[in-house]
Every structure is written in C-alpha cells, then in structure tokens.
Amino acid sequence: MTREKPGRMMADEMAEQPAVLRRILDEGAPAVRRTAGRIAARHPRFVLLTARGTSDNAALYAKYLLEVRLGKPCGMTSMSTVTAYGARPDLTDVLAVTVSQSGGSPDLVASTRAAREAGAITVAVTNNPDSPLAAVAEYQVDMLAGPEKALPATKTYTASLLTLYLFVAGLAGDDGAEARALPGLAERILARGAEVGRLAARYRFAGSMVLTSRGYGYPTAKEAALKLMETSYIPALSYSGADLLHGPLAMVDNVSPVIAIVPDGRGGEALQPVLERLRGRGADLFVVGNEGAVAGASAGFALPTAGVPEELQPVLEILPLQMLAYEVSIARGRDPDAPRALAKVTETR
C-alpha cells in the first residue's frame, strides 16, 4: 500500500483558502453585518477578546482593528483570573468576543459563560456553530471555513481574520467592500509554492528563528512563529519591532535567521529603524512585504499589496509563511499534518 505523502492535509487546506475567503464574502458577510449592527446599537463601552493559540493571534489582529478603526479601548482576557481564581469582574456593557476554531475548549467556554453572567455582550466567532462555545454566547458568528483536519490551523486563521475584519467594519457601519480583492490575490500568492520551496532550503538546518513586525503585521509574526514551531519544532521567537530593540536584538548576529513582515503602510514605516539595526548586525534577513521592502533584504517574498488597505494585508502576509512552515517541515523530514504531542482541541481550564 502506498503511504500518503506527509503534509497532504495541510497542503490541501492551505489551497482551500481563496475559496473560503470567497464563501465568507458571498455567504457570510450579510449575517456578520446584521450581528455587528445589533451590537453597535447597544453601544458597548469597551472590548475584551478571548482566545488561545492561533485564534489568539487572530484576536490580536482584531484588537488593532477595534482600537484603530473604532477608537474603542480593547484588551486581551486573562482567562485564569476567572477559571482558576474565580474572579467575577463587572462587565456590564462590555463587548466580550471569543475566537475559537473548534469552539470546544473548556476554558474558553467557561470564560465566555462567566462574562455573560457578569453582564457582557458576548460573541463567539467560531468554525463550529453547534459548539459549546456558540451555545453559551449571546451572539454567534460562523467563519465558514469548513472542516479543518490538519493540526496546524491555516484556513481557519485567514477565515478568522476576514470574519473579524467584516465584524469590526459592521460595528463601524461599513460594508467591508475593500476585502473583495482578497480571494484573487490569495490565489496568486498560493500559486508561488515553488518559489517558497526554494526559499525554505535556507532554513532546513536553522536552530532558532526570530520574527518581527509592527502594527497590523505583528499578529502575522506571532502566527508565523507558531506555525514554524508546531510543524518544524524550530524555536521561533516573535517580537514587536519596538520590543525587539529593547534587549532581544542582542541575540541577533550574522548567523541568526530573522523574518520581518513589513506592511505596506504605517506599520512598515514604523519598522524601518528596526530593519536598519538588523542589517547593521549582519542578520540573515528574510522580508515579507512589497517589492521595495524585499529588495533591501537577504531574501524575501514580494506581496501583491498595491492598493490593499494595510488593515487587510495580514490575510495575505500569512500565506507565504504558512507555505514556508510547511516546506521547512517537509525538508526536515517531519509530517506537518501530525505534530508530536499536539491535539486539535486544547483541553486547558
């Protein structure tokens, strides 16, 4: 019997992403707008976001959107204050958004239930509308990614980003029409797999990696680091560019691989001093960004971001980095479909 090629599920799910993005825009967007409109009418005073793992990085993206677009104070929940310590904060008129692919993690369910009991307006953004999380939240938003079988989340991450973008746009009274270009651009990026495969050879024997960005690109750096760690077991540290300059830069030298996500916009502008310092230290610098940003690096992947608002670029930025994690894992003899010691649903409490 022929053994199935390692990583087949992850590869197939990465390839599904343009279709998932189209489904969200064509089928999911009206429901997302309706839900956002009902919540906006209740005028929440600030926002709390709750998530784990890949969904935590999507929630961080939503934090940037909420603070920049709506001017809403926004924080990330410390779930253990409720689930382990039994704290019961007053969340009257607070919007509590929980992001979870499976909707089955007990700590997310418990935290959302407690938030609703404490007076919050609770929303579950999940890929499983029949999940325990969806059942305890007041509102439910379906990311419509379809079943995801590979342990490394790929299509549910980009689905989360687009769904959260449409949700925040709906809170602002916007229809999110600027996202219409994303599926076609995603297809163009994913068609460049051979290019990523050649780039992956640089990191086959990497002992560690550093990833950095600023602004809307920072959640991409965190998610890419997670993908590299869970598929290839490479210790990958992610930092905001500002934080990287406050000490961690000392560990970067001319044999240290650094991946920088350079957004085409204010986040990329804010990252320029960091890139200069990295080049000054002789870092092996890999850039994901526009052609100009890539030209000044040791290697890179040029994104077709011309005309794409900076707040939507994370949906595209992560795609070559998902492919990179996949290709590095295969080159190192791993199976990215089944990382050791990992489960699809995290059973933390």
Side-chain angles (χ1 to χ4, degrees):
M1 184 172 64
T2 303
R3 183 174 180 270
E4 190 172 83
K5 180 182 176 182
R8 177 66 181 272
M9 286 190 296
M10 182 179 178
D12 288 348
E13 288 169 357
M14 286 192 294
E16 287 180 40
Q17 289 176 105
V20 171
L21 298 176
R22 284 194 180 93
R23 187 184 308 133
I24 294 168
L25 292 166
D26 294 341
E27 301 175 21
V32 174
R33 282 196 297 272
R34 286 193 297 271
T35 298
R38 294 186 187 108
I39 292 169
R42 296 172 66 174
H43 304 290
R45 52 195 176 97
F46 63 89
V47 185
L48 285 174
L49 293 151
T50 304
R52 293 283 193 203
T54 284
S55 294
D56 197 45
N57 299 327
L60 179 59
Y61 166 72
K63 184 176 188 293
Y64 277 89
L65 284 172
L66 289 157
E67 291 180 348
V68 174
R69 292 204 60 179
L70 299 185
K72 291 284 185 185
C74 187
M76 307 294 284
T77 303
S78 299
M79 278 179 280
S80 61
T81 61
V82 171
T83 60
Y85 291 93
R88 291 295 181 265
D90 179 5
L91 300 181
T92 305
D93 298 326
V94 171
L95 174 57
V97 181
T98 304
V99 186
S100 172
Q101 182 275 132
S102 69
S105 296
D107 58 343
L108 297 175
V109 174
S111 179
T112 302
R113 181 187 292 110
R116 188 171 182 179
E117 291 170 352
I121 305 163
T122 53
V123 183
V125 180
T126 176
N127 196 39
N128 183 358
D130 299 318
S131 64
L133 176 62
V136 300
E138 183 177 359
Y139 298 96
Q140 191 271 330
V141 175
D142 189 354
M143 63 180 71
L144 296 176
E148 188 172 60
K149 298 178 181 178
L151 284 173
T154 54
K155 65 177 182 175
T156 54
Y157 180 68
T158 49
S160 298
L161 296 185
L162 179 54
T163 301
L164 288 164
Y165 169 80
L166 293 171
F167 178 68
V168 176
L171 291 174
D174 182 4
D175 64 3
E178 289 180 305
R180 282 281 165 190
L182 291 178
L185 293 172
E187 285 177 339
R188 288 170 56 186
I189 292 169
L190 291 167
R192 295 162 61 187
E195 178 184 344
V196 176
R198 291 190 293 271
L199 291 166
R202 300 171 63 92
Y203 307 113
R204 180 178 179 183
F205 301 107
S208 62
M209 299 182 76
V210 172
L211 293 93
T212 189
S213 189
R214 292 206 65 181
Y216 285 111
Y218 180 41
T220 307
K222 291 177 68 66
E223 173 61 12
L226 177 59
K227 286 292 155 286
L228 285 162
M229 287 188 287
E230 68 184 356
T231 60
S232 302
Y233 320 141
I234 297 173
L237 304 174
S238 57
Y239 296 99
S240 156
D243 288 334
L244 184 63
L245 296 182
H246 284 80
L249 184 68
M251 68 181 171
V252 176
D253 55 27
N254 60 3
V255 296
S256 303
V258 178
I259 296 177
I261 295 91
V262 185
D264 193 358
R266 294 186 182 183
E269 293 168 6
L271 193 63
Q272 291 308 310
V274 182
L275 299 177
E276 291 173 10
R277 292 285 297 277
L278 289 168
R279 285 190 286 263
R281 295 187 66 83
D284 176 4
L285 181 60
F286 179 106
V287 164
V288 174
N290 63 32
E291 290 185 1
V294 170
S298 308
F301 187 98
L303 292 171
T305 52
V308 179
E310 183 179 356
E311 62 197 24
L312 280 169
Q313 291 174 30
V315 179
L316 304 176
E317 291 165 350
I318 192 58
L319 299 177
L321 295 166
Q322 290 174 347
M323 291 191 288
L324 182 71
Y326 168 85
E327 294 289 352
V328 172
S329 176
I330 296 295
R332 290 164 75 101
R334 312 295 188 190
D335 183 355
D337 282 344
R340 62 192 181 204
L342 292 180
K344 193 69 175 172
V345 179
T346 306
E347 297 289 345
T348 50
R349 291 186 182 275

